[in-house]
Amino acid sequence: NFNIAPTREMPLEGAELAMDWRPLPSQRLQLNYAYLDIDGPRRGDDNIAFVPQHSGSLGWWQAYESGWQFTTTYVFYNDLRVRRFHFDRLDTRLAHRLRLSGRQQLELAAVMQWRLSDEPELRRENGSDRHRGWFSLDWRY
């Protein structure tokens, strides 16, 4: 049973750092990092057991005049309160946007995610595949 409702007061201390840089209008680099220290029992409380002490991401976005877009993002978190581990994943997305008549647009995209560590996303019960990918079709009108 997983209860997400707060059951008692838990003091939090931490810091967050974010940087967003656009060297060109068609490019973007983003860096995020967070440190969180939560004061409460180490075991028996799902409300705080899966809070990572360190987490962050590094992402790069690139758009081309031809309608192509490329994105890659590295994400990580580690040191959950229930156990020490390191989770990280690399996500990539390649998309092509086609302009149709009027305001209509069609976007075809392929996304791949590679889990770089052997750890699951927060819990073993999540059981997602180590690597996964999908295609999407987006029609805007």
Side-chain angles (χ1 to χ4, degrees), residues 88 100 106 113 123 132 134:
D88 58 352
L100 304 175
L106 191 65
Q113 292 181 330
R123 304 176 135 203
R132 58 187 168 201
W134 60 90

Side-chain angles (χ1 to χ4, degrees), residues 30-64:
Q30 190 173 54
L31 171 68
N32 296 289
Y33 171 76
Y35 170 81
L36 183 60
D37 187 21
I38 187 167
D39 190 18
R42 289 234 171 243
R43 300 224 181 259
D45 188 344
D46 272 351
N47 292 307
I48 62 171
F50 298 99
V51 176
Q53 189 170 27
H54 304 277
S55 61
S57 65
L58 175 63
W60 176 260
W61 292 264
Q62 175 71 52
Y64 299 94

Side-chain angles (χ1 to χ4, degrees), residues 35-130:
Y35 170 81
L36 183 60
D37 187 21
I38 187 167
D39 190 18
R42 289 234 171 243
R43 300 224 181 259
D45 188 344
D46 272 351
N47 292 307
I48 62 171
F50 298 99
V51 176
Q53 189 170 27
H54 304 277
S55 61
S57 65
L58 175 63
W60 176 260
W61 292 264
Q62 175 71 52
Y64 299 94
E65 289 182 20
S66 62
W68 286 95
Q69 300 170 340
F70 176 75
T71 306
T72 188
T73 306
Y74 170 77
V75 296
F76 81 93
Y77 54 86
N78 61 21
D79 296 340
L80 297 183
R81 293 182 54 82
V82 292
R83 64 190 174 95
R84 299 185 73 76
F85 81 101
H86 182 82
F87 172 87
D88 58 352
R89 188 180 73 210
L90 182 65
D91 300 353
T92 60
R93 180 178 185 270
L94 181 62
H96 186 61
R97 182 169 289 164
L98 304 165
R99 298 205 185 278
L100 304 175
S101 62
R103 295 176 41 194
Q104 294 186 50
Q105 295 181 26
L106 191 65
E107 183 180 82
L108 305 164
V111 177
M112 261 318 278
Q113 292 181 330
W114 291 276
R115 197 165 69 210
L116 304 174
S117 60
D118 289 330
E119 300 291 345
E121 293 185 52
L122 295 180
R123 304 176 135 203
R124 294 255 177 242
E125 301 90 73
N126 287 349
S128 65
D129 293 332
R130 185 171 169 87

